[in-house]
Amino acid sequence: MTKTAWVFPGQGSQAIGMGADMFVLPEAQAKLAQAEEILGWSVAEVCQSEDDKVSKTLYTQPCLYTVETLLVDALRSQGHTPNLVAGHSLGEYVALYAAGVFDFETGLRLVKRRAELMDGASEGVMAALMGFDRTELEQKIQETSDVVLANDNNPGQVVISGTAEGVDAVLSQVKAKRAVKLNVSGAFHSPLMASAAAEFQAVLEPVAFSDAQVPVLSNVEPIPATDAATLKERLTRQMTGSVRWREISLQLADDGVERVVEVGPGNVLTGLIKRTCSGLALTNVNSLAALDALEQS
């Protein structure tokens, strides 16, 4: 049997209309109603709003979590199961749901508060760099205060995070094929999120986690784990810690994974993995049509 990993994208993969074909399913209606009760607004309406409301952090994260968990449910209903799971930033919450660590409601309540805190963050900026000298970049980051490597996505694509002055200093000193500042409210995955992380810790602490049914690769610690306390401790560090996606990609190959299924809108993660690990079969499940195609493959 082919060893398979499910991976879940985070903020930046959202798109207007995502999940629309699933929202009409009877089994999805109950979760959408539950989500509206928790959030105070409709995931389906926000996802289909032409004003791109879905790209505002406050809405993006709960919408992605809801859409991706619906896809997980659909995959499971057709008999699919993963051998390993991982998620990029927000996607780690879906990975934990898929692994049975907590139920839909518990995860959504955590994601709701996370989105509120991150949406309210106003300190710092983030910038993506593509096509650069890694040694040079790492040296400049070390030499510059208040800047960290926030997302280590693959050997040729990263995101840095920190104060506006610090990020500008790094961008001015590192040659890159492309560098662009991201439209986000703060310096996510950096020490500048410490205040928000402390508030979130108070919400996360009393939540009961179960041992995972399949190993989870965490953003801050890309080593397979199933222990509930370990997974929870790793999640507490996620808001201020780096997303070590390049290492997660390498770990998938080291663990003998042969097939990676990206569950969620877009194909960001399979694109990143393809540039890090050749030889893995890569599939995207972002709709019912894609799920049907998976059934036939």
Side-chain angles (χ1 to χ4, degrees):
M1 192 172 180
T2 303
K3 190 170 185 178
T4 301
W6 289 358
V7 298
F8 304 93
Q11 197 163 343
S13 61
Q14 72 276 358
I16 296 172
M18 67 179 187
D21 63 343
M22 291 185 300
F23 296 157
V24 299
L25 298 177
E27 53 267 38
Q29 290 292 314
K31 272 193 173 173
L32 290 171
Q34 188 178 23
E36 187 164 358
E37 186 176 335
I38 293 168
L39 300 169
W41 45 268
S42 166
V43 167
E45 288 180 9
V46 170
C47 285
Q48 296 173 82
S49 175
E50 290 299 327
D51 64 359
D52 200 25
K53 194 174 184 179
V54 74
S55 287
K56 182 173 172 55
T57 296
L58 190 66
Y59 299 103
T60 308
Q61 296 187 17
C63 285
L64 282 172
Y65 174 82
T66 301
V67 168
E68 291 177 22
T69 55
L70 288 175
L71 286 167
V72 168
D73 294 345
L75 281 162
R76 289 200 180 281
S77 71
Q78 295 193 12
H80 298 284
T81 56
N83 301 104
L84 207 68
V85 294
H88 191 287
S89 193
L90 178 278
E92 186 168 328
Y93 288 79
V94 190
L96 292 169
Y97 168 81
V101 175
F102 47 61
D103 61 17
F104 172 74
E105 178 182 350
T106 299
L108 184 58
R109 290 189 184 279
L110 288 173
V111 167
K112 176 179 182 287
R113 188 61 186 135
R114 181 184 191 266
E116 290 168 348
L117 290 167
M118 293 178 75
D119 185 62
S122 58
E123 188 178 6
V125 298
M126 302 180 78
L129 292 89
M130 286 140 278
F132 51 86
D133 183 291
R134 181 170 283 264
T135 301
E136 179 187 39
L137 175 64
E138 290 176 349
Q139 181 181 341
K140 295 303 179 185
I141 289 175
Q142 281 189 338
E143 294 172 355
T144 309
S145 60
D146 300 322
V147 178
V148 297
L149 185 62
N151 297 355
D152 185 6
N153 288 328
N154 70 21
Q157 200 235 61
V158 300
V159 175
I160 61 173
S161 186
T163 62
E165 296 78 13
V167 169
D168 284 343
V170 172
L171 293 180
S172 68
Q173 297 175 66
V174 174
K175 293 180 180 179
K177 288 183 179 178
R178 187 168 179 235
V180 58
K181 286 188 178 178
L182 304 183
N183 183 23
V184 294
S185 57
F188 302 162
H189 298 292
S190 84
L192 293 179
M193 294 297 293
S195 177
E199 284 193 61
F200 185 69
Q201 174 66 21
V203 177
L204 181 63
E205 190 60 40
V207 176
F209 276 35
S210 300
D211 288 345
Q213 296 165 6
V214 296
V216 181
L217 297 174
S218 299
N219 286 195
V220 300
E221 203 71 53
I223 299 170
T226 57
D227 176 67
T230 299
L231 294 171
K232 189 174 189 179
E233 188 278 329
R234 290 177 176 180
L235 198 62
T236 65
R237 293 186 276 140
Q238 198 216 55
M239 201 177 286
T240 56
S242 298
V243 177
R244 296 162 61 182
W245 193 258
R246 177 178 59 86
E247 293 172 76
I248 286 175
S249 301
L250 293 170
Q251 186 66 46
L252 293 177
D254 288 346
D255 280 357
V257 168
E258 301 163 87
R259 187 183 203 184
V260 177
V261 180
E262 181 173 0
V263 184
N267 55 5
V268 172
L269 298 184
T270 47
L272 294 176
I273 293 169
K274 184 178 182 179
R275 296 180 184 91
T276 306
C277 304
S278 59
L280 295 178
L282 305 172
T283 306
N284 296 87
V285 173
N286 50 28
S287 64
L288 290 180
L291 186 56
D292 290 341
L294 182 67
E295 281 290 293
Q296 296 163 17
S297 63

